[in-house]
Amino acid sequence: MIISALRPVALLVLLLGLTACATPRPAPRAEVGAGPGPVILISIDGFRSDYLDRGLTPHLGGLADRGLRAPMRASFPTKTFPNHYTLVTGLTPARHGLVDNIMRDPDHPGRLFRLGDRSEVTDPLWWEEGLPIWVSAERAGLKTATLFWPGSEAAIHGVRPSHWRTFDQSMSAEARVDQLLAWLDVPAAEQPAFLALYFDEVDTDGHRYGPDAPELNAALARTDAAIGRLVAGLEARGLLSAANLIVVSDHGMAPTSRDRVIYLEDLVSVEDGQVLSTGPHLTFEPARGREAQAAAALLRDHAHMSCWRKAELPERFAYRHRRVASLFCLAETGWEILPRDVAARRPQVGGAHGFDPDDPTMTAIFVAAGPAFRVGIELPRIDNVDVYPLLSRLLALQPAPHQGDLTAFAPGLALD
Ligand code: AMP
Ligand code: ZN
Ligand code: ZN
């Protein structure tokens, strides 16, 4: 645990939590009452905070106008799975253990976590250092429903959401919304209190065409239309005034180019070890007996890239965990570390994330509207660990130990 990286309030919560419960435990419903409507958490993967100002997302802009918005700092590394799990646990990746989209675990030699490997993604072993909000909610007797939230396909601490589906990237945004609404079409007593929905088109097109491309703008408009469909569906069911909607993203997107590539083959040899992640960051695990060669190759001055042993990574990244690879290189924003064949297949321009979370291009969004929120408030930058204590408060759940700070939202909350 990196205590120095925590803010005082978060530290107090964490210490109280740690003394009270060193191991995950059932979360009783707290005394404070939640509103009667559902809490709906929506992620738009790769939605950079300034996309909201392009005039292309009227439905999302409408939610911000009748609620709260804030730029949101992503956790390190600014990748999809680590940040989605942070949002629902209030823990940084080094605390919840989902340290990267691709990772190994020295406690489980031979295993390799990758997004495309269903048996790994659904194996609780990768997820159990965190306690996602849906697990606490289900244990407290609430029903939950998640559509593609990373982690929700695994039985974490033995618990899955009451409703969930296997990830299917080909399912349209409209169909995702309709599935979410269908989960609400049950008698009030059966309704999920917490629902989570995931959209990936903005990230996919951000990678493929870059954050400034017309194709990306079209993806923004399509995803916004899906949010409009959700709002209309809630209204038709008489749920809109009671529901608290929170729209977030996991990270932003930086423009990349074939002219800004650091070639992997120029850095390190395959005999020296295993390459795990490439792109904005390179993670490398030296082979036994090749530690010195790998370190000599990577731990030197490079143009457009910095490399560290994991114990020497900057404190502000708060990134120490057994699953973090021994050697870690981070490219300057907009540059990528790639094998030559991969670089050759790339279009001239595109987009990527995984860069320094304090670079403005990595800033995510937070928009919330509903009875729990005041109208028309714009907050200064929040941290994505703060979302978890907010969700806990809205669901009247005792939060598990976390690193967030609920007071970050205080000026925008309409709760006592
Ligand atoms: P990345 O841009 O590499 O950080 O990851 C984004 C990608 O993660 C999206 O394009 C999705 O296809 C993929 N993804 C999201 N959720 C899941 C999931 N549950 N299982 C596998 N892949 C996923
Ligand atoms: Zn993402
Ligand atoms: Zn992405």
Side-chain angles (χ1 to χ4, degrees):
M1 182 184 359
I2 300 155
I3 299 276
S4 60
L6 305 177
R7 283 166 291 164
V9 175
L11 181 59
L12 181 64
V13 170
L14 178 67
L15 290 176
L16 288 173
L18 284 179
T19 46
C21 58
T23 50
R25 67 192 153 99
R29 292 208 82 177
E31 291 300 305
V32 280
V39 174
I40 305 179
L41 178 66
I42 301 160
S43 163
I44 308 179
D45 198 318
F47 194 111
R48 195 169 82 183
S49 71
D50 62 293
Y51 290 172
L52 202 48
D53 302 314
R54 291 190 177 179
L56 298 168
T57 52
H59 296 291
L60 192 51
L63 289 178
D65 289 346
R66 69 175 179 87
L68 178 62
R69 69 176 274 188
M72 184 162 71
R73 183 184 185 273
S75 293
F76 187 84
T78 51
K79 288 284 184 175
T80 296
F81 269 44
N83 277 284
H84 275 87
Y85 210 41
T86 291
L87 287 160
V88 294
T89 60
L91 299 171
T92 55
R95 286 283 309 283
H96 63 53
L98 242 291
V99 300
D100 206 342
N101 283 349
I102 303 176
M103 59 186 168
R104 291 183 11 178
D105 187 336
D107 288 355
H108 299 274
R111 300 285 295 267
L112 178 69
F113 180 92
R114 281 182 305 121
L115 304 197
D117 187 333
R118 301 245 10 106
S119 68
E120 297 296 346
V121 166
T122 56
D123 191 324
L125 103 82
W126 298 104
W127 305 94
E128 292 199 324
E129 289 173 28
L131 191 66
I133 189 84
W134 60 79
V135 173
S136 300
E138 292 278 344
R139 283 178 173 175
L142 300 178
K143 297 237 179 301
T144 66
T146 57
L147 193 58
F148 306 159
W149 200 277
S152 65
E153 300 157 283
I156 301 171
H157 301 292
V159 180
R160 280 203 180 91
S162 295
H163 308 278
W164 63 281
R165 284 184 57 168
T166 297
F167 181 62
D168 172 8
Q169 191 160 14
S170 70
M171 188 176 186
S172 70
E174 290 71 26
R176 295 180 197 200
V177 166
D178 292 350
Q179 170 66 88
L180 200 87
L181 291 168
W183 282 331
L184 286 165
D185 285 334
V186 289
E190 301 289 306
Q191 261 174 22
F194 172 76
L195 302 98
L197 177 58
Y198 170 75
F199 295 118
D200 49 31
E201 255 187 280
V202 168
D203 180 74
T204 303
D205 287 350
H207 284 292
R208 194 172 293 159
Y209 304 106
D212 301 309
E215 292 89 343
L216 180 275
N217 286 339
L220 292 178
R222 285 195 300 276
T223 304
D224 187 68
I227 289 176
R229 186 181 181 93
L230 174 65
V231 169
L234 291 171
E235 196 159 28
R237 288 161 177 79
L239 288 171
L240 187 58
S241 59
N244 284 302
L245 270 75
I246 300 176
V247 185
V248 291
S249 60
D250 49 351
H251 49 70
M253 187 68 68
T256 55
S257 160
R258 259 207 326 234
D259 302 331
R260 291 194 298 272
V261 174
I262 302 158
Y263 293 107
L264 184 62
E265 294 84 348
D266 297 345
L267 292 173
V268 71
S269 144
V270 283
E271 288 101 62
D272 290 341
Q274 186 184 15
V275 173
L276 296 163
S277 296
T278 58
H281 69 237
L282 166 70
T283 54
F284 194 81
E285 202 51 64
R288 193 164 295 163
R290 304 290 294 183
E291 293 84 356
Q293 287 86 341
L298 293 176
L299 302 176
R300 57 182 177 85
D301 284 342
H302 302 276
H304 311 297
M305 175 179 92
S306 304
C307 298
W308 302 270
R309 286 183 205 282
K310 85 164 149 185
E312 284 150 17
L313 277 158
E315 277 288 316
R316 72 189 173 87
F317 294 159
Y319 200 52
R320 307 275 156 76
H321 190 280
R322 69 177 185 285
R323 293 176 184 162
V324 175
S326 301
L327 297 171
F328 190 104
C329 300
L330 181 64
E332 186 183 316
T333 300
W335 285 73
E336 289 188 283
I337 310 157
L338 295 173
R340 277 205 158 71
D341 61 331
V342 174
R345 288 197 300 273
R346 286 286 172 93
Q348 182 59 29
V349 296
H353 53 87
F355 300 109
D356 189 328
D358 289 311
D359 188 287
T361 59
M362 292 299 105
T363 305
I365 49 157
F366 174 91
V367 172
F373 301 100
R374 294 178 57 205
V375 174
I377 304 278
E378 189 161 350
L379 294 175
R381 190 174 75 156
I382 57 165
D383 274 351
N384 68 351
V385 286
D386 300 334
V387 172
Y388 171 79
L390 175 66
L391 296 173
S392 303
R393 177 71 177 80
L394 296 178
L395 292 165
L397 291 169
Q398 188 70 40
H402 64 87
Q403 294 162 284
D405 178 7
L406 181 59
T407 65
F409 298 103
L413 290 183
L415 298 166
D416 351 299

